[in-house]
Structures are given as structure tokens and as C-alpha cells.
């Protein structure tokens, strides 16, 4: 559920299942509240390592966290089992979804999975009471829970279920309490790539995410959404939703708490497990990878991440271009349709996410994004900062049990096709969720297991734990909250617990203008996140409140101007007049927000503003460029034609021309075809400029674009000629399939299958084991990094390093700095031992008996294959006898290249230096 899958045939994430220090023994006796546990681990199971247990609690010495903080154990099994997700209510009770019936273990809990409520009644810093809120046969590893006072929202595909605890006893009494399926239509019950948790936004709306299994649902106001993709081949994939936009893959949705007025605020994910919106209005989401390309991303409103094509019909692998790295291709970062992917950190299995704004930690941590990764045994931290129109995200470890860089039990760690499993305790911490309590401490729940990913679990004790991270010596104090008084509601609005402040927001909003004065006082709070909560609410408190927010549109701080604009817009107020003023704001982030707000505004009103905003693009800010594209959605032609009329009347510097070409690429309307064609054929253009022009044409789904590309190919003079041919082959199988590209390639003499001369390209076999040095022997040698820099040039026939070389294998730039020496040495000596995702080779055998080993770049009527040394050949299907995946690496081993043990030691030393970054 919260992890990643190994291949497209096993696209299966798994919950974070593991055990950090191997949990305290799951007892066979009664639970602490006197009732018999509903689930009892089999008595023949070897439960835990006694060395990990101290006074019946987990040993937390394996954890590493920020200086000044400590980790304590708040709760363990048997008070609950297999925690998939959690939330904390205003009283400090932790509500936990269990996943005992997860995937292959469905039915292990005969009566269905449970929602558990845990309490610390004696206030000693750990739970001492646990009881069942609800257990239903329908609940099967539910992946999300949110608690808003006495309203409990459980995400359990295909339904988003709302329980109302009418008598407020934290137990669902069927005859008294209410149960409603708020929304339904989310695909694949008991699947990790499906419905995930709800959380509250600062504007009083709820947001939730769903993986790329797809969904077809109608909200309470009749808005229908059709969201699908190539994973399950949903029949509605590519169909527009109620608003005319096409959404594909995993997505994030915002809606009223009533389930109405839903809108998609991000899509194109693989399987974002959770999302969070800060009080400033920024949405963050993590996502797991296919090959190693997990990411934590600031989500721009309406943004597309590109795991599938924009029509949902193709996985990213089908469109991976020559020379693209896997992370770039997987999130389509060279496509005009996508937004910046944020921090892409490699293999992993991300799960719960939270945003720390105020509480018990030092003030310097206010504004900290926290993101769990079960595959890496870590909760990552970020302090996102404004960066032009975007966000700068620098990652650090907030909490980890594993500082070695060696991982196991996760799909991205594979040795000879098998997923590694380790008994080491520090690798069994699997953080499934993180959240902030009303006491200001951070809480992390852990599904211990040796395994995470692939829908598997190895811990038949189903053990779990919850840890508290707080300053050393911290004593938890839960502020009393009275939701029936204005004072109590303001206290709730200021709470460090995200869903507690939502309840305060709702109560204050219900009181209307009576709340204005009390809420306005919060604007002066020294914590900008707390103050921001008042801004959102005031905008919804009638004319008096809105005027206070409007005044901040002229605030000297651009962050406050941006916040005010967001709040007024979210309140449903007409912001067009404000947009006209802010379209020329000195802050690119403010202008970005204006552009985003124009996506569904009529062209006659939006185009002049979008032209103005586009004219201020500096040619470098990727987030700003993405916002232009999103704001101009459906109005690309009108925006570009106006820009072009301005452009042809002025003499511009090269920088301005470059910026204009990028805007053209981003908008790519059919009206720009002649312009792009001319740039592609311009002999004075640089290769980069020519490539951008060719790429612009490639994303125009029009016969004229295909014709222009064919003309460029026939001319043969473009400095991006190889890209031209690749695009013609690729587009022949998808967007341009009805334009007769293949026939014209042959009739025009551009690519005649009968005239293509093929040559053999066979990867040499590996040397015998007794002919190669042992890794241990290499590690005994002292490497010379300077000599290694020279020796490493032999790797350039298959790898890119510092901008040089050929990408047949993964890029080496920066790779070695993150790897232990033994891993680097092993990769050089025996590259077939651990084949990198996305770089598996293919052997094509022709009918003439020719063997071509290489990286398959495209498949269809023409197969394009790149072999060692970068030799790229095009093979028509009429000449192919067979295609088969290789079981060995395309790369020659170091010994085959003639490297001695000392040579390898030198290369290892070099790759670990900053010079190779």
C-alpha cells in the first residue's frame, strides 16, 4: 500500500511494514482495557528479539533525529496492529486504521479490519488504554483516517466513509451514530494505488488523494470526474471531467466537507500516498516511483506530473527519449505539459506526510514538511523556501533508523531478480504515517516488517508502534478546547494539530461576522502560519472580514499579498480586478498565482493578463513557465498569437528570444507550426534551440505538425536531426498514428526499411569468476582519485559522467557520492548482479541472423535500439525475428574493459569525490 512496485506487471505498492527494533512481544493475554484481542498472532511464531525490549517497550536507541529532540515510545502492539494511517484529535487521542487483512492476508481478521482509539489517560507520555471505534467486514486495510471533532472520515476503497459519533463516546453505535458513504467510485478495493487519506486545508475544505488505479465519481453537487490511465486501462481514461479538463493517473482532490464543489488540484501521479496543505496554502505530496525516482513535490494548482501521457494511454516508458535520465522521463520533465517534480531522491516507498507549523519544537522548525519513506526507514524533513515562482526543497533526515545507505525488503533493492530481506533491526522501521499532535509533538506510526512493497508482508505478528518526537524532557500537555465558545474556537484555530484547527475554523465561520474581531486579532500572531489561518477565515466572514484581507493585497511582504489573493479567491469572491493589478507585481510568485487563477476564466478577460505575465518570464524560472501554461489552458492559441504579434514588431536580445521560444514550447498551439519549423531549420540556431523547436512541433497533435516534422527530416540540415527521426517514429505509434507518417517516411526516402543497413552489436560475455578480482580485495587497496578520473573515461561508452558520455546505463554523475565503496566496486566488477530499473537490455535477432543488444528506445513499426558506445539503429518490424529481454547487463564489466583491481579502486575513489558530482 505505501510503497512502490517492481515492474509494470507488478505495479504494487505495499504498506510500510516493518519493525524498527522489533516490537515488544505481541502478548497472548487480554488487552489493557480488559477485552480479549480480536486478533491473536499465531503461537508458533518467533516474535521479537528480546534485546530490543526495555521494560516492555521498544529500544529507541537505533533512532537518529534532530539535535535537541528525543524519541520515546507512545504505544505498541497489542493495543493495535499494522497501522496504515493515523490522526490525533483535540484531546490527544490517536485514532489508528489497522491493516491486518492487507492484500494476500485478506480474511486474517474474520470480522474485518478496525479503527482503534488510543489514549494516555494518566498523562505519563505513553498510551495506557485502547479500544475499538468500529470494525466492519467492509474495512479491508483502509488507507486513510481523519478526525474532525466527532466526525471520523475513513478512506476504504471504493468508498470515502464518514462516521458521526453522535453520542461522543468514541465507539460507533449503529443504532445511535451515523454512517454515510460520502463519495464512491474509487477503483480497486484492497489496492495500494487507490483511495488515501483526507486532511483539512486552511480554507475549510477537505483534500484527499487517490493512486493511479483511477476513479469515476460524482460529488454531492453533481460534478462528475473521469480519471484513469494505462495502469488498469480504465475505459474512461482520457475522457474530460465536468470542467472540460482531462485528468489522468493519481490525483489530489479538494472539496467542501459536504462532499460538493470538488475540483482536482493536481494529477498525473503514480501513487501519492498522502497530501498536506500548509496554512499559507501550499500543497505538498509525495509519490513513489517505478524505477528509482521517488519524489516530494510542491503541487502547483492544476499541475500535471506526467507518469502517464496526457491522454492516459501510455506509461512514461513508452515516451522516454534518447538521453533522458529515468527521473526526467518518469515525471516527463522535458514535456511542456508538466510542472517541476520537486525533490526526486531515488528508490523508496513514501507514505504519510505532514507539515509542522507550530508546537513544541524550536521555532526554527516552523514550516517543516515531513514525509515518511518505508523503503528507506526514514522520515524526511524539508524547510521549503520561495525560489522565484516555485519552491526550493532541500532534504534532510528528520527521523531515521538507517544511516548506512543500504536498504532491504523494498522493491527498489533487487539482487539477481530477488528482493532482499534483512534481519537487521535498523532496516525494519517502516514509518507509515506522521502527524503533529495538539501538544505540539510529532508522532510517527510504524508498521514493523522485513518487507515493504509488492503487496507483501512477512511479520505475521502484525506488530506496530507509535513514537513521539519532542524536545528532551518534554511533558505532554493537551490544551483544553471548548468548541462552544469563541475563545475555545480561536484556541482550536491556533492548534498545532491540523484537523483540530479545522473544527475551530468551521465553528467561527458559522458565527459569521460576529467572529471578525476575534479572528482579526490572530492576524498579529508572530507565527506567520498561525496568522495566515485568520486570513483564510476572514475572507469568508462577510464584507467586514473580506475588507481586512483586501487591504493585504498591497502588503509590503509578497508572501502576504499572495496569501490574501488566495484567500479571497477561495472564498468565491471576484478577484479579476485584483488580478489586473497583481499581474505586474514585482514578485514572480504573486504573478504565478494570478496566472493559475485564470485557467477557467473566459479568454476575453484572461488573455491580456496572461500575455502580460508571459512577457515578464525571465527564461529561467521553470515554475513560472509552468504557471503560464496552466493559466492559458484552452486559450493557448489566443495567448500565443498576441505574443507573436508583439514579438515580430520588436528587436529582441538573445535572452528575450530564448524566453519567447520557451513560452512557445509551453503553449505549442498549431498556429506556431511555421515558426517552430523555421527555428528547427535555422542554420544559425544552436543545437539546444533547434531541439526546443523540434520538441514544440512534437507536442502539436495536428496533421500540419507531422508534415512539418517530415519536411525537417527530409531537409536533413537541422541540428536536432536525430530528435526529428525519433519523434517521427514515436509519434507514428500514438498522437500522429492517423497521419500516415510511416508511409511518408518511406515514400520521401527519409526512412526506407529496405535501405537501412544494420550491424551487429553484441555485448561481450562476462569473464569467468576466477578471472576477476574479489570486491573484498579491491576494498583493501587505497584508491587514487586523480588516476580514477582518467580511468573512468572508459565507462563513457555506456554512462554519462559530468556531461560526457552515452546513456546506455544509468548516469554516474553524483551517484558514487551516495553509495558505499563496496556497492560501487560490485557494480564495476559485476554489473549484471543488480540491473538498474529502466536500463534492462533487449536482444533483437533479425531474420538475417544479426544480433543487436541494446536499450530499446521505441517499439512499434520501427524499433529504435541504442547499443554500447551510443550506436543507435532503427529496425523495421519486417526484419525482426525475435525480441527478448536480456538477463545480463548491457555494460561491460571493469575486468572485461581491462581494469585491474587497482584501477577499480581508483575509479571507486574518484566516483566518491565531489569532482564526480
Amino acid at each position: 500500500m505505501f510503497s512502490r512496485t517492481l515492474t509494470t506487471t507488478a505495479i504494487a505498492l505495499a504498506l510500510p511494514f516493518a519493525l524498527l527494533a522489533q516490537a515488544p512481544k505481541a502478548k497472548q493475554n487480554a488487552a489493557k482495557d480488559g477485552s480479549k484481542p480480536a486478533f491473536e498472532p499465531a503461537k508458533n511464531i518467533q516474535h521479537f528479539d528480546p534485546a530490543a525490549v526495555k521494560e516492555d517497550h521498544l529500544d529507541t536507541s537505533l533512532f537518529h533525529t534532530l539535535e535537541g529532540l528525543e524519541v520515546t515510545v507512545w504505544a505498541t502492539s497489542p493495543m493495535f496492529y499494522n497501522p496504515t494511517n493515523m490522526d490525533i484529535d483535540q484531546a490527544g487521542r490517536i485514532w489508528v486504521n489497522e491493516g491486518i487483512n492487507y492484500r494476500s492476508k485478506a480474511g486474517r481478521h474474520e470480522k474485518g479490519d478496525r479503527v482503534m482509539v488510543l489514549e494516555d489517560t494518566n498523562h505519563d507520555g505513553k498510551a495506557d488504554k485502547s479500544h475499538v471505534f468500529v470494525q466492519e467486514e467492509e474495512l479491508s486495510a483502509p488507507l486513510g483516517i481523519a478526525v474532525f471533532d466527532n466526525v471520523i472520515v475513513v478512506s476504504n476503497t471504493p468508498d470515502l466513509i464518514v462516521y458521526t459519533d453522535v453520542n461522543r463516546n468514541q465507539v460507533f453505535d449503529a443504532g445511535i451514530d451515523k454512517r454515510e458513504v460520502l463519495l464512491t467510485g474509487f477503483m480497486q478495493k484492497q489496492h495500494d494505488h487507490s483511495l488515501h487519506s483526507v486532511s483539512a486545508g486552511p480554507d475549510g475544505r477537505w483534500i484527499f488523494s487517490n493512486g493511479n488505479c483511477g476513479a469515476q465519481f460524482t460529488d454531492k453537487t453533481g460534478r462528475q470526474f473521469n480519471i484513469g490511465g494505462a495502469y488498469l486501462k480504465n475505459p474512461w481514461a482520457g475522457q474530460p471531467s465536468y470542467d472540460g479538463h482531462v485528468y489522468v493517473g493519481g490525483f489530489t482532490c479538494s472539496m467542501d466537507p459536504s462532499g460538493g464543489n470538488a475540483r482536482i488540484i493536481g494529477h498525473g501521479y503514480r501513487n501519492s500516498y498522502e497530501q498536506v496543505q500548509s496554512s499559507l496554502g501550499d500543497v505538498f505530496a509525495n509519490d513513489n516511483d517505478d524505477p528509482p525516482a521517488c519524489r516530494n513535490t510542491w503541487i502547483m494548482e492544476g499541475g500535471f506530473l506526467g507518469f502517464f501521457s496526457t491522454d492516459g494511454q501510455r506509461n512514461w516508458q513508452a515516451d522516454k527519449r534518447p538521453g533522458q535520465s529515468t527521473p526526467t522521463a518518469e515525471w516527463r520533465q522535458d514535456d511542456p505539459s508538466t510542472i517541476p517534480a520537486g525533490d526526486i531522491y531515488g528508490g523508496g516507498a513514501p507514505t504519510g506526510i505532514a507539515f509542522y507549523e507550530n508546537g513544541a519544537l524550536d521555532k526554527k522548525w516552523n514550516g517543516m514538511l515531513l514525509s515518511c519513506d518505508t523503503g528507506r526507514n526514514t522520515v524526511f524533513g524539508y524547510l521549503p523556501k520561495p525560489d522565484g515562482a516555485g519552491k526550493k526543497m532541500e532534504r534532510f533526515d528528520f527521523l531515521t533508523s538507517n544511516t548506512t545507505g543500504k536498504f532491504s525488503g523494498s522493491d527498489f533493492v533487487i539482487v539477481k531478480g530477488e528482493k532482499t530481506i534483512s534481519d537487521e533491526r535498523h532496516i525494519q522501521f517502516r514509518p507509515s504515517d506522521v502527524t503533529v499532535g495538539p501538544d505540539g509533538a510529532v508522532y510517527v506510526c510504524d508498521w514493523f516488517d522485513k518487507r515493504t512493497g509488492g503487496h507483501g508482508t512477512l511479520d505475521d505478528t502484525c506488530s506496530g508502534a507509535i513514537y513521539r518526537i519532542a524536545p528532551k524532557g518534554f511533558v505532554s500537555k493537551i490544551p483544553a478546547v471548548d468548541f462552544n465558545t469563541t475563545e475555545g474556537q480561536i484556541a482550536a484555530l491556533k492548534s498545532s494539530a491540523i484537523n483540530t484547527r479545522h473544527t475551530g475554523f468551521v465553528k467561527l465561520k458559522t458565527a459569521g461576522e460576529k467572529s471578525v474581531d476575534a479572528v482579526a486579532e490572530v492576524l498579529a500572531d508572530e507565527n506567520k502560519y498561525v496568522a495566515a489561518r485568520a486570513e483564510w477565515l476572514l475572507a469568508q466572514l462577510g464584507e467586514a472580514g473580506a475588507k481586512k484581507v483586501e487591504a493585504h493585497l498591497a502588503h509590503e511582504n509578497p508572501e502576504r499579498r499572495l496569501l490574501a489573493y488566495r484567500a479571497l479567491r477561495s472564498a468565491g469572491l471576484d478577484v479579476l480586478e485584483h488580478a489586473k493589478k497583481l499581474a505586474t507585481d514585482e514578485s514572480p510568485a504573486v504573478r504565478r498565482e494570478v496566472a493559475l487563477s485564470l485557467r477557467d476564466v473566459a479568454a476575453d478577460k484572461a488573455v491580456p493578463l496572461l500575455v502580460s505575465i508571459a512577457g515578464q518570464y525571465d527564461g529561467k524560472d521553470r515554475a513560472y513557465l509552468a504557471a503560464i501554461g496552466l493559466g492559458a489552458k484552452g486559450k493557448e492559441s489566443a495567448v500565443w498569437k498576441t505574443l507573436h504579434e508583439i514579438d515580430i514588431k520588436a528587436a529582441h536580445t538573445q535572452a528575450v528570444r530564448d524566453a519567447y521560444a520557451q513560452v512557445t514550447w509551453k503553449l505549442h498551439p498549431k498556429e506556431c507550426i511555421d515558426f517552430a519549423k523555421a527555428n528547427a531549420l535555422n542554420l544559425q540556431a544552436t543545437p539546444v534551440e533547434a531541439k526546443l523547436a523540434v520538441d514544440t512541433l512534437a507536442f502539436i497533435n495536428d496533421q500540419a505538425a507531422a508534415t512539418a516534422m517530415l519536411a525537417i527530416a527530409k531537409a536533413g540540415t537541422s541540428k536536432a536531426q536525430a530528435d526529428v527521426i525519433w519523434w517521427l517514429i514515436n509519434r507514428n505509434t500514438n498522437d500522429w498514428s492517423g497521419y500516415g507518417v510511416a508511409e511518408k517516411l518511406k515514400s520521401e526516402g527519409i526512412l526506407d526499411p529496405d535501405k537501412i543497413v544494420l550491424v551487429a552489436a553484441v555485448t561481450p560475455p562476462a569473464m569467468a569468476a576466477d578471472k576477476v578480482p574479489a570486491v573484498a580485495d579491491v576494498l583493501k587497496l587505497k584508491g587514487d582519485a586523480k588516476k580514477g578520473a582518467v580511468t573512468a573515461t572508459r565507462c563513457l561508452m555506456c554512462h554519462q559522467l559530468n556531461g560526457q558520455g552515452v546513456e546506455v546505463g544509468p548516469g554516474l554523475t553524483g551517484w558514487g557520492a551516495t553509495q558505499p565503496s563496496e556497492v560501487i566496486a560490485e557494480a564495476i566488477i559485476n554489473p549484471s548482479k543488480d540491473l538498474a530499473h529502466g536500463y534492462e537490455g533487449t536482444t533483437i535477432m533479425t531474420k538475417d541472423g544479426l544480433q543487436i543488444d541494446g536499450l530499446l528506445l521505441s517499439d512499434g513499426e520501427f524499433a529504435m535500439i541504442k547499443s554500447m558506445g551510443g550506436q543507435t539503429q532503427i529496425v523495421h518490424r519486417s526484419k525482426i525475428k525475435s525480441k527478448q529481454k536480456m538477463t545480463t547487463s548491457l555494460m561491460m564489466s571493469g575486468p572485461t574493459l581491462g581494469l585491474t583491481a587497482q584501477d577499480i579502486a581508483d575509479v571507486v575513489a574518484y566516483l566518491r569525490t565531489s569532482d564526480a558530482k
Side-chain angles (χ1 to χ4, degrees):
M1 121 190 136
F2 1 105
S3 83
R4 37 156 326 262
T5 43
L6 172 57
T7 66
T8 53
T9 58
I11 300 190
L13 265 76
L15 301 147
F17 313 139
L19 87 80
L20 158 30
Q22 289 178 312
K25 190 169 184 177
K27 299 177 182 178
Q28 303 297 314
N29 56 5
K32 291 189 178 182
D33 65 355
S35 62
K36 183 179 179 182
F39 168 76
E40 294 187 3
K43 295 181 179 180
N44 63 344
I45 295 174
Q46 181 67 38
H47 296 295
F48 308 108
D49 176 3
V53 181
K54 288 184 178 178
E55 298 179 353
D56 210 29
H57 288 288
L58 285 180
D59 178 6
T60 58
S61 64
L62 290 178
F63 284 114
H64 302 268
T65 188
L66 303 178
E67 184 177 355
L69 302 182
E70 66 178 356
V71 182
T72 56
V73 179
W74 194 83
T76 61
S77 298
M79 301 184 77
F80 65 100
Y81 297 100
N82 279 8
T84 67
N85 199 246
M86 68 176 177
D87 195 14
I88 308 180
D89 67 17
Q90 67 273 11
R93 293 178 292 251
I94 296 186
W95 299 62
V96 179
N97 282 355
E98 291 185 327
I100 294 171
N101 288 340
Y102 177 66
R103 298 295 290 182
S104 62
K105 303 300 173 65
R108 181 161 53 181
H109 227 179
E110 293 183 2
K111 295 182 180 180
D113 274 320
R114 307 179 299 182
V115 174
M116 303 297 295
V117 184
L118 283 65
E119 298 181 70
D120 173 12
T121 63
N122 60 6
H123 311 295
D124 65 349
K126 52 184 178 289
D128 52 70
K129 183 180 179 182
S130 171
H131 72 268
V132 178
F133 168 70
V134 68
Q135 180 176 25
E136 297 179 351
E137 290 184 12
E138 280 188 48
L139 295 182
S140 192
L143 301 187
I145 184 168
V147 183
F148 306 103
D149 190 20
N150 67 329
V151 175
I152 297 89
V153 185
V154 175
S155 304
N156 185 70
T157 307
D159 302 328
L160 189 63
I161 307 169
V162 175
Y163 301 92
T164 303
D165 183 19
V166 175
N167 59 10
R168 296 179 175 272
N169 65 350
Q170 295 88 51
V171 174
F172 182 73
D173 299 310
I176 301 173
D177 299 328
K178 299 178 182 178
R179 181 188 191 277
E180 176 192 6
V181 175
L182 188 65
L183 298 177
T184 190
F186 305 97
M187 295 299 108
Q188 286 299 93
K189 188 175 179 64
Q190 260 281 30
H191 199 297
D192 309 301
H193 294 230
S194 52
L195 184 62
H196 297 306
S197 70
V198 167
S199 60
D203 57 354
R205 290 167 64 85
W206 291 356
I207 54 177
F208 66 88
S209 59
N210 194 82
N212 63 1
C213 283
Q216 191 171 47
F217 68 95
T218 301
D219 76 358
K220 295 300 184 181
T221 45
R223 297 179 173 184
Q224 182 173 330
F225 294 86
N226 306 300
I227 309 169
Y231 177 30
L232 295 184
K233 302 187 185 304
N234 312 101
W236 56 84
Q239 293 181 14
S241 291
Y242 84 97
D243 56 4
H245 298 295
V246 174
Y247 303 111
V248 302
F251 62 92
T252 303
C253 181
S254 170
M255 66 180 180
D256 293 338
S258 63
N261 296 310
R263 63 174 183 264
I264 304 302
I265 56 178
H267 69 118
Y269 314 157
R270 182 170 188 262
N271 183 37
S272 178
Y273 193 77
E274 201 167 52
Q275 72 296 310
V276 67
Q277 187 173 17
S278 78
S279 291
L280 295 180
D282 294 311
V283 177
F284 298 91
N286 55 23
D287 204 351
N288 51 53
D289 55 354
D290 205 1
C294 292
R295 60 174 179 79
N296 281 293
T297 308
W298 167 66
I299 302 296
M300 195 179 300
E301 183 181 347
F304 174 65
L305 264 299
F307 190 77
F308 296 144
S309 54
T310 53
D311 60 3
Q313 302 303 310
R314 303 187 304 282
N315 285 309
W316 65 270
Q317 293 96 330
D319 294 327
K320 184 175 185 292
R321 302 184 224 167
Q324 279 187 324
S325 67
T326 294
T328 297
E330 185 166 335
W331 304 118
R332 297 181 192 263
Q333 292 298 280
D334 290 336
D335 288 16
S337 55
T338 57
I339 63 173
D343 175 41
I344 305 176
Y345 59 84
T351 47
I353 196 168
F355 198 85
Y356 178 88
E357 298 185 346
N358 59 307
L361 277 59
D362 190 282
K363 292 180 181 179
K364 67 182 179 181
W365 301 116
N366 292 348
M368 176 170 55
L369 177 68
L370 298 169
S371 181
C372 300
D373 193 298
T374 66
R376 289 179 172 261
N377 321 115
T378 298
V379 179
F380 292 127
Y382 298 85
L383 289 169
K385 303 294 182 185
D387 183 22
K391 295 289 181 182
K392 185 177 183 180
M393 297 177 62
E394 296 181 340
R395 173 174 22 97
F396 56 89
D397 290 349
F398 172 77
L399 176 69
T400 186
S401 65
N402 189 346
T403 60
T404 67
K406 298 179 182 178
F407 309 104
S408 75
S410 188
D411 288 347
F412 77 95
V413 185
I414 304 170
V415 176
K416 293 184 177 179
E418 297 295 328
K419 302 165 189 64
T420 60
I421 299 297
S422 173
D423 291 323
E424 296 179 273
R425 288 184 286 122
H426 72 279
I427 293 178
Q428 297 179 24
F429 168 49
R430 308 293 185 182
S432 58
D433 200 11
V434 57
T435 193
V436 183
D439 60 352
V442 175
Y443 291 82
V444 175
C445 64
D446 177 13
W447 172 319
F448 325 99
D449 210 295
K450 298 177 184 179
R451 178 80 173 93
T452 182
H455 295 164
T457 171
L458 299 180
D459 174 26
D460 288 330
T461 69
C462 296
S463 299
I466 297 174
Y467 312 107
R468 187 188 72 192
I469 300 89
K472 294 178 180 178
F474 175 77
V475 176
S476 177
K477 295 181 181 179
I478 310 296
V481 174
D482 184 355
F483 287 129
N484 296 314
T485 68
T486 300
E487 183 180 12
Q489 294 160 8
I490 291 292
L493 186 67
K494 293 182 176 182
S495 175
S496 53
I498 185 171
N499 290 339
T500 295
R501 52 188 185 249
H502 170 78
T503 304
F505 181 103
V506 172
K507 297 284 187 179
L508 289 161
K509 180 180 177 180
T510 300
E513 292 198 0
K514 295 179 181 179
S515 299
V516 169
D517 291 342
V519 174
E521 290 182 9
V522 181
L523 289 172
D525 198 285
E526 64 177 10
N527 183 311
K528 68 179 182 180
Y529 296 99
V530 175
R533 299 168 196 167
E535 201 91 59
W536 294 96
L537 182 52
L538 284 167
Q540 300 181 34
L541 293 180
E543 185 177 353
K547 282 184 177 180
K548 292 182 181 294
V549 178
E550 287 176 352
H552 293 155
L553 292 170
H555 199 283
E556 62 181 9
N557 185 341
E559 201 169 59
R560 293 295 293 271
R561 299 197 297 273
L562 170 58
L563 174 62
Y565 187 75
R566 281 175 164 174
L568 291 167
R569 183 172 166 238
S570 180
L573 303 177
D574 186 355
V575 295
L576 188 60
E577 290 304 313
H578 302 313
K580 292 176 182 178
K581 297 178 182 179
L582 296 177
T584 56
D585 192 277
E586 64 180 15
S587 166
V590 172
R591 299 197 303 271
R592 170 209 77 212
E593 203 66 22
V594 174
L596 295 175
S597 72
L598 297 171
R599 185 177 73 153
D600 293 313
V601 173
D604 61 331
K605 297 178 180 179
V607 169
L609 298 180
L610 288 165
V611 168
S612 173
I613 292 169
Q616 298 169 77
Y617 173 52
D618 65 1
K620 300 176 183 178
D621 191 334
R622 174 93 196 282
Y624 192 91
L625 183 61
I628 294 170
L630 287 168
K633 193 73 174 177
K635 303 177 282 288
E636 293 91 346
S637 293
V639 173
W640 187 83
K641 285 192 292 186
T642 304
L643 283 169
H644 191 57
E645 289 173 3
I646 296 172
D647 181 75
I648 60 178
K649 295 177 182 178
H652 293 310
T653 64
Q654 183 62 48
V656 172
R657 287 195 294 272
D658 288 345
Y660 176 56
Q662 290 178 46
V663 172
T664 300
W665 166 80
K666 175 61 68 173
L667 300 176
H668 57 278
K670 63 181 181 180
E671 287 81 2
C672 79
I673 290 174
D674 290 341
F675 174 81
K677 177 183 175 183
N679 284 349
L681 289 171
N682 184 359
L683 297 180
Q684 304 304 314
T686 66
V688 172
E689 292 169 336
K691 177 176 171 53
L692 184 65
V694 168
D695 289 352
T696 300
L697 287 171
F699 286 95
I700 303 173
N701 190 357
D702 189 272
Q703 174 75 66
T707 300
M709 193 78 86
L710 284 162
I712 297 169
K714 186 173 182 180
T717 59
S718 175
K719 292 180 180 178
Q721 191 70 9
D723 295 276
V724 172
I725 300 299
W726 186 88
W727 275 122
L728 286 167
I729 293 172
N730 174 274
R731 284 292 184 246
N732 179 55
T733 64
N734 44 74
D735 290 355
W736 295 350
S737 61
Y739 300 154
V741 170
E743 296 82 356
K744 291 176 182 176
L745 281 169
K746 182 176 181 178
S747 64
E748 296 287 339
I750 301 169
L751 195 63
D752 187 341
D754 298 328
K755 295 180 180 179
I756 296 175
V757 178
L758 302 174
V759 296
V762 182
T763 302
M767 295 177 66
D770 60 350
K771 301 292 185 182
V772 301
V775 172
D777 292 336
V778 169
L779 297 179
K780 293 176 183 178
L781 300 173
K782 181 176 176 58
D784 186 324
K786 289 185 178 180
K787 291 182 179 178
V790 177
T791 306
T793 58
R794 301 193 202 182
C795 305
L796 298 183
M797 67 174 65
C798 289
H799 299 276
Q800 287 188 339
L801 178 60
N802 297 331
Q804 303 295 318
V806 177
E807 190 192 31
V808 179
L812 298 181
T813 303
W815 171 74
T818 65
Q819 303 297 321
S821 296
E822 55 265 37
V823 171
I824 302 174
E826 184 73 72
I828 297 172
I829 294 169
N830 185 12
S832 294
K833 184 175 181 180
D834 189 0
L835 299 178
H837 286 290
Y839 292 94
E840 298 88 352
T842 296
T843 295
I844 291 180
M845 296 298 300
T846 71
K847 293 177 180 178
D848 296 335
L850 210 62
Q851 178 176 334
I852 305 174
D853 296 337
L855 196 63
L856 197 62
L857 302 178
S858 65
D859 204 2
E861 183 166 357
F862 290 95
M864 184 179 286
I865 187 167
K866 182 194 289 186
S867 302
M868 186 172 54
Q871 180 185 43
T872 300
Q873 300 188 72
I874 299 170
V875 190
H876 192 262
R877 63 186 175 196
S878 64
K879 295 187 177 183
I880 297 174
K881 179 180 179 181
S882 65
K883 285 196 299 280
Q884 187 173 358
K885 283 287 184 183
M886 296 174 62
T887 58
T888 57
S889 175
L890 281 167
M891 278 62 74
M892 288 195 294
S893 68
T896 303
L897 289 169
L899 271 60
T900 65
Q902 183 60 58
D903 291 334
I904 295 171
D906 294 343
V907 173
V908 170
Y910 169 64
L911 291 178
R912 289 181 58 79
T913 67
S914 59
D915 291 338
K917 291 183 180 179

